[in-house]
Amino acid sequence: MMRKLLLIALLSCAQIGTFGCSKTNIPHTDVEDTSENRKVISFCEDYRKAVEEKDVARLLKMASPRYFEDGGNTNPEDDLDFSGLKDYLTSTFLKTQAIRYEIRYRVVAKDEGKVFVEFSYSASYRIPGLKGEEWRHTVADNRLELVPEGDSFKILAGM
């Protein structure tokens, strides 16, 4: 009887997460708080700030020379390599008048030497339009694909 009560108590504690092994997340994220994950999130926050500041030089420095984006489809016309990224950042991107870019980090996963950062974002930006400046707003999910480089990372895809 005592064993049954102990087992029930243990199962109840496990279900409500009162064991000392419950995981904590990095504040304002859904990502487990580890030193490696903090390093990844810090890099991604630097990326987010570079987008808001329209810092093209910093964004290009963060991108890997092997950068490649396939547009999520089989149409090769919307593929983007490092050269295309550079062209986009130094032309279309710079026309943006103001940017507000908020990110909620969901998952950091590692596989085959790469780091995948799944996140939801909310972007508000002002662009020139036919009727003058227009505000646009986008809410979506995205994934940055990173590769470790020295003490930091480079972005392989997802900008």
Side-chain angles (χ1 to χ4, degrees):
M1 182 66 164
M2 186 61 104
R3 281 187 185 175
K4 267 188 183 177
L5 289 175
L6 182 58
L7 181 60
I8 290 171
L10 289 173
L11 290 174
S12 297
C13 289
Q15 287 177 351
I16 59 174
T18 58
F19 279 125
C21 61
S22 65
K23 298 176 183 175
T24 58
N25 291 341
I26 296 171
H28 310 293
T29 76
D30 300 329
V31 176
E32 184 180 358
D33 192 352
T34 67
S35 61
E36 185 64 27
N37 286 347
R38 279 188 177 269
K39 187 175 170 183
V40 170
I41 297 299
S42 177
F43 174 84
C44 292
E45 277 296 288
D46 191 38
Y47 159 72
R48 183 190 66 77
K49 291 172 188 171
V51 169
E52 283 190 332
E53 295 165 5
K54 297 186 343 181
D55 189 337
V56 172
R58 193 162 80 193
L59 290 168
L60 288 172
K61 185 176 177 185
M62 297 176 92
S64 168
R66 298 180 297 144
Y67 187 90
F68 185 78
E69 194 75 46
D70 71 2
N73 58 51
T74 58
N75 180 3
E77 291 181 21
D78 67 353
D79 292 354
L80 190 68
D81 61 6
F82 183 83
S83 177
L85 176 67
K86 183 177 182 180
D87 290 345
Y88 170 78
L89 289 174
T90 57
S91 61
T92 306
F93 179 73
L94 283 180
K95 293 177 185 174
T96 307
Q97 307 290 315
I99 300 172
R100 171 84 174 157
Y101 192 42
E102 298 173 342
I103 293 178
R104 175 70 181 206
Y105 300 99
R106 304 290 181 191
V107 177
V108 172
K110 297 159 189 76
D111 188 34
E112 297 181 12
K114 296 178 183 174
V115 179
F116 301 95
V117 182
E118 307 276 343
F119 62 94
S120 300
Y121 71 89
S122 172
S124 299
Y125 49 97
R126 191 173 66 219
I127 58 172
L130 296 175
K131 304 174 198 169
E133 294 176 351
E134 298 176 16
W135 277 98
R136 302 272 174 95
H137 185 74
T138 304
V139 176
D141 294 325
N142 196 19
R143 178 175 80 176
L144 284 175
E145 186 176 322
L146 311 177
V147 63
E149 183 168 296
D151 290 337
S152 190
F153 302 92
K154 292 284 186 180
I155 302 172
L156 288 172
M159 289 179 117

